[in-house]
Every structure is written in C-alpha cells, then in structure tokens.
C-alpha cells in the first residue's frame, strides 16, 4: 500500500495561486480607480501617499507578515503532520510493523493517527495469529531442512553448487577449507595476486578461486557432452593445494525443468591418501617381483643343470636339489608373507580418468598448440574410432607442452599424428621433419612442469604420464633419415580403471532457504551496472574507526570491517574485520567512542597491508556506508601511500534515508535504525556499524522502490539531490 497524496506540494500550489489571485484583484482595483479619477484626485492621492508613506507601508507590512504567519501556522499544524503521517504509515506497512504513528497536529489529524494505530494493532494481531499457524505447519519441514543443512555442511567431501556464471550458491565447510587452501601453480609460476587470501562464500565467483583455464575446460567439456547427448555428461579433474594434497573433482551439470544447462555441482574428494597408498602398493609389488624373480631364477638354473647334465654325481645332484628346496621354501615364505598386505585398493584408483574418443583428444591438443606455439598438427579424424581413458585437461596440456619442446629442439613447427592399435594400447605416432629426439632429452623433460600460454599445472610431466600409464618412445625412420617420430602408448578404454561417472544430472526443483539459490535467476553476466536493479546487485557494506574526525589533518584508520549483501540477504558469516596499526596513538576523544586503546593496535598490520585484502573482499561489488563521504575520504587519501585505489560505486544510507524521509531532521545511524526497526549490536565498532548499515540498506531498498527508485543509477541521482550530499570532508 502506498499513499499518493502530496499535501506539501498541494499547499505550495495553494499559496502561489491564492497570492497571485489577491495580487490580481488589488492590481485590477487600482487600475479601475485610476480610470475614473480626475487629475486633481490623482494628484491629491499621490501627495497623501508621499507625505504619509509610513502610515501606508507599516499596515501593509504587518498585514503581509500576518498572512505569512497564518500560512506557516497552517502548514505546521495541518500540512507537515500529514506529510509525517504518510511517511510513518509507509514505514509501518513496509519495513517496521512495530512502529506507531506519533503526529502533533490538528484534532482531526490526531484522530486520524489514532484510528490508524488502532487498525494497525488489529492488523498485527491478525497477522500474528496467521503467522503462528504458518509456523506450526512449517515445524516438521524446518526440522528436516535443518537436518539436511547439517548433513551437507559436515560431509567429508567438499560440495559446491554454482550457477551458469560460476557464482557460488552453496558451499559446505569442507569445500571452504579445501578451496581456501588451493594454489594456482608452483612457486616458479606464482602470480602476484596469489599471495592474497582466498575468499570463498556465497555469491562470489568460483573463477577467482580455481584456475580459470581448468574451470573453463570442465564447463566446456560438460556443455559439449550435453549438446552431443553424450552420457554421462560429467567431467573430472585433479587439483593440488599449497600443502601438496591432491583432490579429485567431479563436475556434474545442473539442468532446469526443460533440461537446459543452468549450473554445476562440484564434488571434491581428497585423494592424497589413496595415491600414497597406490605408491606403497607399487613399491611393494616391485620388491615382491624382484625377490620372486631371483628365487625362481635360482630354482630354474638348478633344475636345468640337473636335466642337461644327467651324468653329474649323486652328491652334486643332491646339492642342486638342496638349492631347489631352499629357494622353494624362501619363495613360499615370500608368498605367505603377502597375506598380511592389503591389496584391496585398486592401483591408480584415485586419479579420475574419463573415457575420451581419440579424435576428440587430438582436436583438443591441436587447439592448444595452434595459437600460443604456432604449431600445426595434422591427423586423419576417421582413422581411429577407439577411446582412451584420460584426465583430459592435464593430459592435453602435457602433450601440448611436449610438442612445444620438440618444436624448439628440432626447429620444426609442423607435425603429423598417425594412430593405430597394438595389443591393448592405442598408439599416437607423432611425426615431424627434422632431427630425431634423444631418449635422454625426453627423460630430462619429464621433470618439467607443463606451461601452455598462461595455463599451467603444479604437476611434472612424469607425474601426469605415470598416472595415465603412458609410455613415450622416440624413434626415427632408417630409410628417410630426416623423419622422426614420438610414439605415445595409451591404454585402451576397457583396459584401464576409470572414474565413476554419475548417470544422471541434477535437476533444480525446490529451493533450500538456508542457501541462496535465487542467483540462478541473476541477469546477464556483464550488464551496464548503472541500469541494474538494486535487488540484483552484490554489495559490500563497510565502516571504519579512526584516530579522530579530521582525515585531512592526519587522522588515520585504526579499524576497517565489511559484510556482504547478496540477493538482498545480509551474509553475517561472510565478513571482513581487521584492526590497523595507524603509526600514531588515537585521540582520547576517539578512544571514548570506539574503545580501541593504543596497545590494542600494537603489532597489527599497517594500512598498506590491509587495503589490498579489503579491495579483494569488495571486488566486483557496490560499496555501502553510512555517511560514506567520510569513509571514502579516508580510503582515497591512502591511495598515494599504498597504491591501492578503491573505485567501486558507492551508496550512502544517510543520503538514501533523506531521499525516502525528507521531512525527518535526524538521519543518524541510531535514528534510522530505530525508524526502520533494525537492531544495532556493538555500536561504534566497525563490524557492528557495518552490520547495522547493511540491515538499514535492505529495508531502504523497499522504500526506494515505492518511490520509483529501482536501479543503481536512480539511487545515485536521488542521493545527489539531497541537501546532505553537500557535506565535504
């Protein structure tokens, strides 16, 4: 409900019209009198007016002043109360039902206010009764929902759900721990921004956490499978964190009700222990094979000597038989000892390998080497219809890097790949014109990390190829000495353990309210920000505490805190809160306000260390602050010293309050919170005030919408028109 009456505007027009009419009447009367009066009469009146001007002017001035006082009294007694009545009624109906109208005015207006309060009390009683019934009906559903939330939160696997743009909609605790520990490469490939902390929370982009090339590969692989109706339409890859732990990721598409791609689910498994166990099993098997081979060799040699030389003496025969008996007992002991070793874990069980057609694999390799390396790779697409099991991203990157190294070694930029089948392997025979590749050179390359353009992996070529059971053998053509080959042997699909694929994709239906799935309906990825609806924007609400109130006279930030708003929900667990060492003690007056003593700031990071992290926390959001001019002045003054520029758009809750409540004289944080029904916890702490400003902003958005202010541009223009916008620091 929204009242459209505008008593103030109507009153202004009434004053203008009535004054204009009176002036016209007086002017017309004077004009008519002058028409009928003679010259002598006109002279007499002019003489009287000149001689007794004060007697004419003073009554006229008093009459005009009285008229103004009457208008002011009428405005304050009738018009202003109506304005406040409208504003407070709108507040009750939109954001603060517990507020009651308190208006001083005429008896009729006071009676109207009393009637409004009585009706609101009745409405509140009815609403409370209905809400109790709703709460009772929801009780069992809420219990089940909370159980589900607890289960998802504490799963040993990391679970992340994202929309089509890669924004995080759900992220359990295990996934947060894993993603926060990720790194994008080895130290020799480290980017500057990798030193910053990873922020993993609802509404943020997964591209800022996981290597964007790896993530794009996974999404492209899924969409390709969906277009070609290939099942299962899932993909997998491996990630490594800064603690050298390895994680297998299953990526499952989310389809809408008409089976269109709408997002994806990440399921993250820690496979470090599995791979370590694989290594132990391989080492143990190698040792077992070596021991068995020696014993069998001794037994075989003794038996062959007995068979080949039947004329040897009985003593020599007995010696050989003793050797056979001794080695047989040792061999039996070796085999019996294996009963205590658990072989139940399958070799290479942790590394996710997906069945992939050879042709698709070669297309991917060709796409990798064409642009960054200017390498041409030709192959016959219809030659082999076999499939191999690979981790597509790591294998493609590794082979592309090997081709780059060969191209530099052999001074050749054109390759031909022929395919074939030998026993249980698929052969990729890469051919080029130039010097053959030495085995020693190939072995030396195996210790390198693949790097293709800006794409890289924190695994060596040997680690990647070993986990694919790949053999690489260089060769040359004896007849055509200028033709060289690299034979790559890949196990065929049915001969290699593959990752367990999910047969069905998840279709989005009901919305768990403890996470924010409305982001599935967010607008396009890069719309013009000014034209976006206030309800669709992600915000960072922040506040600062300082050594004093004069930034231009040397006062510094001693505390900065922020909290995010996603889909008009205040994410109280997604916050930034940091004390700052200002290099100077706070003033005694400021300490009395925020309570931060100098010793509490000793040893804290300086602002040059804090601002880059804050900037990343607020990345791609609109900033919100109360009395934002003060806080932005502090941040902007740090740009020259820190090199950090905060260029986000800014909205001010103080100005927005003046927009929706122009007749209110007090727009302090406490008074706005009181009007809107927002509780302030830990006042005069940066985080407490940021939380309060966030709650205020969410309620102001509803009031702004009622005035037709719906986009960021609308809000900025309306804010600039308020008298409070003229404040400077």
């Amino acid at each position: 409900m929204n009242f459209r009456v505008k008593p103030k505007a109507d009153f202004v027009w009434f004053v203008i019209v009535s004054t204009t009419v009176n002036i016209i009447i007086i002017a017309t009367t004077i004009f008519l009198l002058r028409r009928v009066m003679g010259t002598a009469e006109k002279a007499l009146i002019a003489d009287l007016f000149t001689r007794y001007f004060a007697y004419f002017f003073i009554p006229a001035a008093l009459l005009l002043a009285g008229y103004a006082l009457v208008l002011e009294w009428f405005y304050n007694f009738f018009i202003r109360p109506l304005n406040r009545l409208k504003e407070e009624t709108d507040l009750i109906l939109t954001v603060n039902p517990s507020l009651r109208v308190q208006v001083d005015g005429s008896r009729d207006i006071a009676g109207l206010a009393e009637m409004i309060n009585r009706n609101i009390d009745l409405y509140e009683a009815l609403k409370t009764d209905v809400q109790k019934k709703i709460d009772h009906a929801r009780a069992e559903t809420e219990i089940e929902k909370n159980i589900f939330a607890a289960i998802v939160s504490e799963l040993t696997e990391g679970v992340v759900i994202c929309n089509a743009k890669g924004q995080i909609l759900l992220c359990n605790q295990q996934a947060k721990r894993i993603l926060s520990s990720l790194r994008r490469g080895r130290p020799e490939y480290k980017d500057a921004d990798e030193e910053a902390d990873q922020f993993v929370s609802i509404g943020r982009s997964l591209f800022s956490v996981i290597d964007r090339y790896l993530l794009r590969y996974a999404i492209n692989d899924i969409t390709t499978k969906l277009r070609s109706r290939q099942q299962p339409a899932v993909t997998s890859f491996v990630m490594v964190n800064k603690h050298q732990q390895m994680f297998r990721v299953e990526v499952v598409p989310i389809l809408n009700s008409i089976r269109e791609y709408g997002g994806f689910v990440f399921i993250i498994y820690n496979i470090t222990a599995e791979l370590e166990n694989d290594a132990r099993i391989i080492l143990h098997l190698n040792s077992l094979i070596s021991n068995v081979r020696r014993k069998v060799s001794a037994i075989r040699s003794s038996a062959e000597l007995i068979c080949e030389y039947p004329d040897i003496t009985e003593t020599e025969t007995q010696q050989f038989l003793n050797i056979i008996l001794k080695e047989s007992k040792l061999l039996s002991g070796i085999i019996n000892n294996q009963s205590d070793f658990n072989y139940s874990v399958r070799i290479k069980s942790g590394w996710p390998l997906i069945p992939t057609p050879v042709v698709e694999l070669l297309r991917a390799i060709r796409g990798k080497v064409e642009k960054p390396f200017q390498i041409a790779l030709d192959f016959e697409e219809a030659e082999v219809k076999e499939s191999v099991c690979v981790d597509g991203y790591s294998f493609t990157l590794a082979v592309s890097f090997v081709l780059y190294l060969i191209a530099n070694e052999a001074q050749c930029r054109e390759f031909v790949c022929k395919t074939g089948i030998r026993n249980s392997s698929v052969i990729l025979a890469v051919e080029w014109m130039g010097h053959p590749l030495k085995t020693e050179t190939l072995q030396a390359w195996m210790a390198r990390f693949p790097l293709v353009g800006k794409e890289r992996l924190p695994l060596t070529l040997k680690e990647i190829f070993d986990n694919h059971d790949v053999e690489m053998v260089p060769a040359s053509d004896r007849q055509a000495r200028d033709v060289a080959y690299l034979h790559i042997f890949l196990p065929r699909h049915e001969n290699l353990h593959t990752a367990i694929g999910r047969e069905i994709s998840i279709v989005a239906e009901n919305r768990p309210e403890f996470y924010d799935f409305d982001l599935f309906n967010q607008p396009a990825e890069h719309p013009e920000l000014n034209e976006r609806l206030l309800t669709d924007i992600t915000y960072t609400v922040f506040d600062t505490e300082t050594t004093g109130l004069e930034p231009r006279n040397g006062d510094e930030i001693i505390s900065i805190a922020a909290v995010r708003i996603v889909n008009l929900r205040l994410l109280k667990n997604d916050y930034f809160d940091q004390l700052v060492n200002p290099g100077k003690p706070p003033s005694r007056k400021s300490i009395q306000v925020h309570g931060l003593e100098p010793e509490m700031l000793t040893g804290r990071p300086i602002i040059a260390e804090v601002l880059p992290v804050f900037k990343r926390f607020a990345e791609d959001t609109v900033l919100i602050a109360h009395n934002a001019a003060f806080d932005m002045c502090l941040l902007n003054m740090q740009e020259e010293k820190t090199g950090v520029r905060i260029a986000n758009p800014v909205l001010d809750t103080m100005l927005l309050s003046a927009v929706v409540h122009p007749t209110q004289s007090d727009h302090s944080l406490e008074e706005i919170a009181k009007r809107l029904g927002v509780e302030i916890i830990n006042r005069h702490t940066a985080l407490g005030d940021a939380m309060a400003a966030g709650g205020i902003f969410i309620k102001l958005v509803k009031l702004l919408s009622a005035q037709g202010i719906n986009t960021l541009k609308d809000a900025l223009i309306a804010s600039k028109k308020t008298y409070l916008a003229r404040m400077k620091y």
Side-chain angles (χ1 to χ4, degrees), residues 29-46:
T29 303
I30 294 173
F31 175 75
L32 293 175
L33 285 174
R34 287 179 60 85
R35 291 284 302 269
V36 300
M37 285 191 298
T39 304
E41 292 172 326
K42 291 179 182 179
L44 177 63
I45 291 175

Side-chain angles (χ1 to χ4, degrees), residues 546-551 555-556 586-587 590 594 630 634:
T546 61
T547 57
L549 298 178
E550 298 181 5
D555 282 320
E556 299 283 351
S587 67
S590 69
H594 49 62
F630 180 79
L634 287 162

Side-chain angles (χ1 to χ4, degrees), residues 189 191 211-213 368-369 371-373 393 397 400-401 404 449-457:
Y189 299 142
D191 287 339
D211 189 305
R212 61 182 179 273
Y213 298 104
K368 289 287 185 193
V369 299
K371 288 187 178 180
F373 300 142
Y393 184 74
L397 213 63
S400 301
F401 187 58
Y404 163 71
F449 301 103
L451 177 64
V452 178
K454 294 183 178 180
E455 300 181 63
R456 68 225 177 182
L457 283 175

Side-chain angles (χ1 to χ4, degrees), residues 115 163 294:
M115 184 182 299
N163 62 13
R294 286 198 302 270

